[in-house]
Amino acid sequence: MLELRPTCENCNKPLPPDSLEARICSYECTFCATCVETILGNVCPNCGGGFVTRPIRPSKNWKGDNYLGQDPASTIIKFRPVDPETHARFAAAIKTMPPEKR
Ligand SMILES: [Zn+2]
Ligand SMILES: [Zn+2]
């Protein structure tokens, strides 16, 4: 199950389960859209992969207890800000490739 992390790993902005700004990589590293676009260049600082919009888990029990009430968001904050210069060096070659070619 996807781990719905509570904040942006870089700027610690709250990203509640219904946030449209949450972005995740395939390892569920979670950032806000602003950090992905302006600082990360769509390169995950932990794995080099690209980001997609985090899906919204339903807040209502539409079917089979598959909803936030049964499977709530994580409350464990992962706040690991990137150093912009270090990330720029790491991402320089990677960001020119689309995620599907990395
Ligand atoms: Zn952020
Ligand atoms: Zn990642």
Side-chain angles (χ1 to χ4, degrees), residues 7-15 21 30-36 38-40:
T7 67
C8 172
E9 190 174 310
N10 184 59
C11 73
N12 215 22
K13 177 181 190 165
L15 296 171
E21 292 181 70
T30 303
F31 296 88
C32 72
T34 302
C35 287
V36 166
T38 63
I39 295 165
L40 301 179

Side-chain angles (χ1 to χ4, degrees), residues 3 24 34 37 63 74 83 97:
E3 189 181 315
I24 56 171
T34 302
E37 287 157 21
K63 192 169 185 182
S74 168
D83 175 65
M97 289 175 256

Side-chain angles (χ1 to χ4, degrees), residues 9 24-31 43-51:
E9 190 174 310
I24 56 171
C25 81
S26 76
Y27 289 101
E28 305 171 322
C29 307
T30 303
F31 296 88
V43 175
C44 176
N46 306 314
C47 71
F51 290 95

